[in-house]
Every structure is written in C-alpha cells, then in structure tokens.
Amino acid sequence: MDFVTVKNGDVSLNVAVQGEGPLILMIHGWPELWYSWRHQISHFARLGYKVAAMDVRGYGASSKPHKVKDYTLRHLTADAAAVIDALGGGEAIVFGHDWGANIAWATALLYPEKVKGVAGLSVVYTPPSDRPVTELFKELFPDSFFYITYFQQEGPPEAELEADIRGFLRKTYYAGSGDVPTDQIRAKKPADAKFLDGMVDPDPFPAWMPDADLDVFVRAYEAGGLRGPLNLYRAWPLNTEELKDYRGAFIKPPAFFIGGERDTVRHFVPGMDLYDMAGAACEDFRGSVIVPGAGHWIQQEAPEATTAALENFVKEL
C-alpha cells in the first residue's frame, strides 16, 4: 500500500493506492476514513485495477478547511475529479459509501465523462431539488431529535463527540450496525437531546471491527477532530443553490446500489423504504443488492458479500 497526495487547489488529499490498471476510486462516509475500504482495496488490486481510497477533505490526513462553505458538493466532487485526473488519466469507476455515496453520485452527475460506472452503498441517488434536505428533516421530526438537524450547530456537536473519541466511535458504529437489536440512530428522544444520548457501548463489540481496526479510526479523529466531517452536513443546505442547474437530473453513467437489510437509512422517511428508489433517477441502472442482516457499515460488516456484488458490477461494465 502506497500513500500519495493529490492537490486540488489549496486542498491536499491523502489517497491510499494499490495495484496497477484502470482506476477504481473509493470514497468513504461519516465517520470513517479511506481505511473503511480495507477489505476491498487489495481484492480489486489483485483483479488488475489501480485502487485509490481517498480521505475526504476534513478527514484523516487530508486538508481540513475551517469554513462550512468549503464542504459543498461542488468542492467535494472537484476533489474526486482531481484524484481521477491525477491517478486515472481522467476516467475511473467510482464507489462511494454513506456521504461518500453522495459524493460519488454527484461526481457522476457533474463529471459524467470521468465516471465509467458508479456504485453507491447505503445511500441512494436522489436528484438535486429546490428545497434543502435539512428542511425536510425538520418537517419530518418537528418535536424530536434528529442528528442531521443537531449537526447544523457549530460547536456543541464537536464538544460532545470529541470528549471521548473512542466511546463516540464505538457507540456510533454499533448503533448503525446490523448487530444492534433496535434502531438507535432514529430512536425517538427529545429535540434538545444530544447525539449519543441513549446509545449503547456494547460489550463485546461486534467482531467485524476488531480493536486494531478501531484504533486506526480513533487515532485519526483524535488528531483531526470532528469539525471537518461535521461541516459536510452543515454545507448540505448550500448545495441547493449551487446545484440548481441539475435539479431533477438523472445519473448518466452505469449505476449500481448496495444496501444492508437492516440499515437505518432505508427508513429515514417514515413509512417509506428508500431502497425501493435506488434506480429511479439513473439512466443506466444495473440493479441493487441488499445484504441480509447487514446494517449501515456495509463494506466493513459484510465484506465478502459487498466485494462480490461490486465485482459483478465492475465485470459488466
């Protein structure tokens, strides 16, 4: 495994690279790192691809701009495009998980000529609209806590989560996993609650995240803090204006979706299964795979099933 730095203007992006061949770019979500793709990197390198797993700006060893406006999808996709140009000669297959899925979908939308195929994990593609998604969540959860609304504040979320990085990560990874008996992410609690209120620190921790792997995430967040990662949520409303020319636009490159059967994201809108909409706005949708028993951290919880599904998608391109 090699690490290279790719520049996008003043932003430096840390990228783990392995293998030679056509480029596959892997983009992680919140609160994760390039390391979230550890099971997939070596596999696709062995198949004859150059694999690049980046630290998104704000995370890990990448630059961490302070201003919220520096975390819009325009900036995040420009980062992805810079990696594709630097390491893939202007073209790549793109995988994205969670927030990385948002970035991957938007990269395929804004830079279709650079994306040979796009796979989103856990988060389906929804076209830009004329309303910020944060407004929707305020309407859906008017009198109760919802974490995306809570994250819009600058300061209090950092103070809460950075007070005990290891505890925050353990509780968050468990709460979003397929191992948790009941959904802790969407559990009803007062509007003035905090993110970690009511979350469980499991003993033992699920086997898919051994201590040695958890330590990688803990060290990165203890060094870099949470402001950058939280700024992606804070910049979300700004995307409405910045992407106004793409409202209602479909994804043009070949597209694929993978989700966990027990992922809390699929029911973020009460009464709906968002995974039913996976290909609704994709011109060339190659299908979905829903992994039984898995939760939100799909490529870490169920690496073999996730990798096999991604490999099948790649082979069809």
Side-chain angles (χ1 to χ4, degrees):
M1 184 84 67
D2 296 319
F3 290 89
V4 302
T5 299
V6 173
K7 299 285 287 186
N8 178 28
D10 294 334
V11 170
S12 296
L13 301 162
N14 177 56
V15 188
V17 181
Q18 186 173 338
E20 292 295 335
L23 184 66
I24 296 178
L25 173 61
M26 301 181 179
I27 311 175
H28 67 81
W30 184 92
E32 302 182 86
L33 298 167
W34 72 268
Y35 192 72
S36 303
W37 296 99
R38 60 194 176 279
H39 301 292
Q40 289 74 39
I41 294 171
S42 58
H43 178 85
F44 283 96
R46 287 194 298 270
L47 291 180
Y49 292 91
K50 177 188 287 186
V51 181
M54 63 187 292
D55 278 336
V56 172
R57 66 166 64 194
Y59 288 84
S62 290
S63 295
K64 301 171 181 62
H66 185 80
K67 295 179 180 178
V68 170
K69 67 180 182 66
D70 291 328
Y71 291 83
T72 64
L73 282 169
R74 282 284 189 182
H75 291 293
L76 299 169
T77 58
D79 290 345
V83 175
I84 293 171
D85 288 346
L87 301 178
E91 184 179 70
I93 300 167
V94 182
F95 303 161
H97 170 253
D98 182 76
W99 251 107
N102 287 334
I103 299 169
W105 295 127
T107 302
L109 182 67
L110 273 63
Y111 301 93
E113 74 285 356
K114 297 183 185 294
V115 178
K116 186 177 180 181
V118 56
L121 280 62
S122 300
V123 175
V124 302
Y125 171 67
T126 54
S129 73
D130 59 357
R131 292 187 64 208
V133 69
T134 47
E135 289 186 6
L136 172 63
F137 289 132
K138 287 179 181 178
E139 292 180 4
L140 291 173
F141 307 98
D143 301 314
S144 60
F145 177 88
F146 190 66
Y147 75 97
I148 292 175
T149 303
Y150 174 64
F151 287 169
Q152 298 306 303
Q153 307 174 77
E154 294 186 49
E158 286 92 334
E160 179 195 6
L161 306 183
E162 292 173 359
D164 176 8
I165 293 291
R166 184 175 296 275
F168 149 62
L169 291 174
R170 284 175 60 93
K171 291 176 181 179
T172 302
Y173 292 155
Y174 180 62
S177 74
D179 300 276
V180 69
T182 58
D183 189 341
Q184 294 182 11
I185 299 293
R186 295 185 305 119
K188 190 173 179 63
K189 52 189 179 183
D192 61 353
K194 295 183 178 181
F195 179 73
L196 297 174
D197 289 353
M199 286 191 182
V200 174
D201 190 342
D203 185 14
F205 199 76
W208 56 266
M209 180 70 83
D211 285 344
D213 290 331
L214 181 64
D215 287 345
V216 175
F217 295 95
V218 172
R219 286 194 296 269
Y221 282 102
E222 286 181 343
L226 268 296
R227 180 178 172 85
L230 290 168
N231 274 351
L232 274 73
Y233 289 97
R234 294 168 184 148
W236 213 338
L238 303 179
N239 294 319
T240 303
E241 176 63 22
E242 287 198 0
L243 299 181
K244 63 182 180 181
D245 293 339
Y246 294 88
R247 288 174 185 169
F250 279 38
I251 294 291
K252 296 183 184 300
F256 183 61
F257 177 75
I258 307 174
E261 177 190 27
R262 303 196 66 238
D263 194 330
T264 182
V265 171
R266 69 185 299 183
H267 299 297
F268 265 10
V269 178
M272 292 182 62
D273 184 348
L274 296 178
Y275 288 2
D276 288 342
M277 303 165 52
C282 300
E283 291 187 3
D284 183 6
F285 189 59
R286 304 294 178 91
S288 297
V289 170
I290 307 301
V291 180
H296 184 63
W297 322 106
I298 184 77
Q299 78 271 41
Q300 299 185 79
E301 291 183 59
E304 292 182 359
T306 302
T307 302
L310 289 169
E311 181 178 340
N312 288 336
F313 168 62
V314 168
K315 284 181 175 179
E316 292 176 358
L317 293 175

